[in-house]
């Protein structure tokens, strides 16, 4: 009997005297006294929110404690037996808060009464440029920009961007931002040069060619051309087409084919053996009759390369179409959002919404389309089912202000593309800056 008594006493002392790897005393919850939850705070917040979860008999060994928010594991940082502290992770979402005590078959599952309300946190900042317009190259803090209007990120983290300008006095050009340094690839400052009004740029799948579309409004000699990558970057411009009014070039992310938008005839073409092969014409308000012209500012492909979103700046409309990679056919071209030929600022379902000079656009991982709505000075978000909302900026209010989603201001933004860090980058045309929208 004495042996059993002293054995039980030793086991009890072992539990009470357990230490964690830092040498601190820890306790485990008693199996005959189940854990209970009471309340937690705060009940809303975003990524990195510190939760305090109150209850009883949690134990202090955090290796035996798990906390989830909406099914996503929070990082448990401590417990004194009555209060657990944990950190909410990015993109957890809104949902129930649960505590799991113990492991395997001995795990106790406990759910708090009220779900956590996840609040997305926006941070809008300036990535490049400053108030003063200019074309000075240099590091990211000293360089100046002049009317940035179109963006293209490379997989290596290089940002290529277009600055607007017409003829020799416009100083339009293509610039490159990488490793805290901005350089200029080309400017249309020479009379009779290759470019007059550069409209878009894109890379091929291998990223060893940089395609450039130019609408040859006055003196430019190239409608579509491509730079080849060398040891020191892109150089050796090769002309491809002298067709005028080429407003856009875009590479299919799966097939690697180049698609080109032509202003006259509202045509979408494919580059085949150096020639532009017409695939479709965009329909007008009746849904069937082709339009005589369209200023296409964006072609956005889905990840599988089989869905195309087409943004027409002058027609205030976004189309959606199917692309069959095997046959090379574009089909089912239909209005997706906006009202053809009618400008305005209205959020709402697809064709009930209104835009005012929509420009470049890009898709997120969930299939939402983001559009730089130039003359409304904001960025619009279109859900996969066509619902249009204002993402950042205040519709119809131009200005400059970094900050959060509700207070940030833009002035005639034209460029819009996601970067390799997951942030959305905006070419803020009349603020002479490239802005960054980061969501926690």
């Amino acid at each position: 009997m004495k042996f059993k008594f002293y054995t039980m006493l030793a086991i009890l002392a072992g539990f009470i005297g357990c230490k964690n790897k830092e040498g601190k005393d820890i306790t485990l919850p008693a199996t005959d006294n189940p854990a209970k939850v009471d309340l937690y705070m705060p009940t809303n917040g975003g990524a990195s929110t510190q939760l305090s979860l109150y209850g009883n008999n949690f134990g202090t060994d955090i290796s035996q404690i798990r906390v989830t928010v909406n099914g996503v594991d929070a990082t448990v940082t401590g417990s004194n037996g009555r209060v657990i502290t944990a950190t909410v992770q990015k993109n957890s979402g809104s949902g129930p808060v649960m505590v799991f005590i113990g492991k395997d078959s001995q795990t106790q599952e406990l759910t708090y009464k009220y779900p956590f309300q996840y609040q997305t946190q926006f941070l809008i900042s300036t990535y490049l440029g400053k108030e003063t317009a200019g074309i000075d190259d240099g590091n990211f803090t000293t360089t100046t920009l002049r009317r940035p209007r179109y963006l293209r990120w490379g997989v290596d983290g290089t940002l290529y961007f277009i600055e607007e300008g017409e003829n020799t006095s416009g100083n339009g050009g293509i610039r490159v931002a990488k490793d805290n340094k901005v350089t200029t690839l080309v400017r249309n400052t020479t009379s009779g040069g290759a470019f007059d009004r550069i409209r878009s740029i894109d890379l091929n799948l291998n990223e060893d060619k940089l395609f450039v579309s130019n609408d040859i409004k006055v003196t430019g000699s190239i409608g579509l051309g491509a730079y080849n990558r060398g040891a020191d970057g892109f150089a050796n411009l090769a002309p491809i087409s002298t067709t005028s009014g080429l407003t856009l070039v875009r590479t299919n992310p799966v097939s690697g084919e180049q698609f080109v938008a032509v202003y006259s005839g509202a045509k979408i073409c494919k580059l085949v053996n150096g020639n532009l092969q017409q695939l479709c014409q965009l329909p007008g308000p009746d849904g069937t009759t082709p339009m005589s012209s369209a200023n296409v500012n964006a072609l956005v492909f889905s990840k599988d390369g089989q869905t195309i979103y087409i943004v027409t700046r002058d027609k205030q409309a976004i189309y959606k179409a199917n692309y069959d990679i095997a046959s090379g056919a574009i089909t089912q071209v239909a209005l997706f959002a906006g009202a053809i030929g009618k400008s305005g600022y209205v959020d709402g379902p697809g064709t009930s919404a209104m835009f005012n000079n929509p420009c470049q656009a890009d898709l997120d991982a969930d299939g939402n389309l983001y559009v730089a709505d130039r003359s409304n000075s904001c960025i619009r978000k279109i859900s996969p089912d066509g619902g249009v909302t204002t993402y950042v900026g205040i519709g119809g209010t131009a200005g400059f202000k970094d900050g959060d989603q509700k207070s940030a201001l833009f002035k005639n933004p034209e460029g819009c593309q996601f970067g390799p860090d997951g942030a959305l980058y905006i070419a803020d045309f009349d603020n002479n800056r490239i802005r960054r929208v980061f969501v926690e």
Side-chain angles (χ1 to χ4, degrees):
M1 292 295 293
K2 286 184 179 181
F3 174 81
K4 289 183 178 180
F5 173 77
Y6 286 116
T7 299
M8 292 299 294
L9 201 60
I11 293 172
L12 181 61
F15 275 116
I16 296 174
C18 276
K19 295 180 181 292
N20 63 11
K21 63 182 180 180
E22 287 81 22
K24 297 178 180 179
D25 291 333
I26 60 173
T27 60
L28 302 175
T31 56
D32 60 348
N33 186 15
K36 296 180 180 179
V37 294
D38 185 6
L39 56 85
Y40 74 94
M41 61 178 64
T43 57
N44 58 71
S48 302
T49 297
Q50 303 296 311
L51 298 179
S52 296
L53 304 107
Y54 296 87
N56 289 291
N57 201 34
F58 292 143
T60 62
D61 183 359
I62 63 174
S63 70
Q64 300 290 318
I65 301 172
R66 179 179 170 224
V67 175
T68 64
V69 176
N70 191 38
V72 178
D73 280 285
T75 301
V76 177
T77 55
S79 173
N80 66 5
R82 298 184 305 279
V83 182
I84 299 170
T85 55
T87 304
V88 177
Q89 298 304 294
K90 183 179 179 181
N91 297 326
S92 292
S94 299
V97 176
M98 298 184 68
V99 174
F100 302 82
I101 306 296
K103 292 184 176 180
D104 302 323
S105 61
Q106 301 299 315
T107 300
Q108 300 177 64
E109 297 184 10
L110 306 153
T111 304
Y112 283 88
K113 182 177 180 180
Y114 299 106
F116 182 78
Q117 300 299 318
Y118 188 86
Q119 298 173 336
T120 302
Q121 302 176 55
F122 286 75
L123 177 63
I124 294 91
S125 59
T126 296
Y127 181 67
L128 288 174
K130 53 189 65 178
E131 182 178 3
T132 304
I135 57 173
D136 296 328
D137 288 338
N139 62 47
F140 282 14
T141 58
T142 61
T143 192
T144 54
L145 311 186
R146 182 176 177 177
R147 301 189 299 268
R149 64 171 312 271
Y150 196 91
L151 309 175
R152 178 63 167 92
W153 282 94
V155 294
D156 63 351
T158 301
L159 175 62
Y160 304 88
F161 62 95
I162 295 172
E163 291 179 320
E164 189 267 351
E166 297 181 14
N167 211 346
T168 58
S169 62
N171 262 334
I174 302 172
R175 301 177 76 182
V176 183
K178 183 181 181 182
D179 298 332
N180 194 36
K181 185 179 181 181
V182 176
T183 56
T184 299
L185 176 62
V186 64
R187 286 207 176 274
N188 56 327
T189 55
T190 303
S191 179
F195 300 123
D196 169 69
R197 193 181 185 194
I198 302 171
R199 300 303 303 272
S200 74
I201 49 177
D202 202 11
L203 297 159
N204 65 346
L205 293 186
N206 294 330
E207 300 203 351
D208 57 6
K209 289 183 181 295
L210 179 69
F211 291 91
V212 184
S213 71
N214 172 53
D215 69 7
I216 319 180
K217 186 177 180 183
V218 184
T219 62
S221 61
I222 292 178
L224 179 68
Y227 286 95
N228 294 293
R229 189 188 291 276
D232 298 321
F234 285 108
N236 301 321
L237 175 66
I240 298 173
S241 173
T242 58
T243 303
S244 63
L246 304 186
T247 63
L248 194 92
V249 58
R250 189 68 171 163
T251 300
N252 185 297
V254 176
S255 69
E257 301 161 305
Q258 279 69 49
F259 292 74
V260 179
V262 184
Y263 178 79
S264 179
K267 294 178 286 190
I268 305 299
C269 301
K270 182 168 64 176
L271 184 63
V272 179
N273 298 323
N275 298 310
L276 299 181
Q277 180 187 94
Q278 181 178 320
L279 299 182
C280 72
Q281 288 180 274
L282 300 179
D286 65 1
T288 57
T289 305
M291 293 187 291
S292 61
S293 64
N295 184 359
V296 174
N297 268 215
L299 280 175
V300 185
F301 286 94
S302 57
K303 285 186 177 180
D304 63 6
Q306 298 181 54
T307 301
I308 313 174
Y309 296 91
I310 305 165
V311 180
T312 58
R313 174 171 170 168
D314 58 339
K315 298 303 187 285
Q316 320 299 339
I318 292 95
Y319 292 83
K320 184 178 180 180
N322 294 333
Y323 179 64
D324 186 284
I325 294 176
S327 67
I330 292 178
T331 60
Q332 298 182 356
V333 182
L335 182 63
F336 182 56
I340 298 174
K342 298 179 181 179
S343 62
Y345 173 67
V346 178
D347 284 336
T351 56
S352 297
M354 297 183 76
F355 299 83
N356 197 349
N357 290 319
C359 295
Q360 192 180 7
D362 203 5
L363 284 167
D364 68 11
D366 296 321
N368 298 296
L369 185 70
Y370 298 78
V371 182
D373 193 0
R374 186 189 196 279
S375 296
N376 280 322
S377 291
C378 61
I379 308 302
R380 312 291 285 279
K381 178 180 178 180
I382 309 176
S383 64
D385 63 2
V388 179
T389 57
T390 299
Y391 184 62
V392 289
I394 301 174
T397 302
F400 172 76
K401 185 178 181 181
D402 284 333
D404 59 25
Q405 184 184 27
K406 295 181 179 180
S407 64
L409 294 174
F410 301 84
K411 191 174 183 181
N412 298 325
E414 292 197 15
C416 175
Q417 198 185 42
F418 283 97
D421 58 354
L424 184 64
Y425 288 80
I426 309 300
D428 197 358
F429 187 88
D430 275 324
N431 278 321
N432 302 301
R433 294 172 169 96
I434 295 174
R435 314 280 290 282
R436 179 177 184 265
V437 181
F438 181 71
V439 181
E440 292 186 330

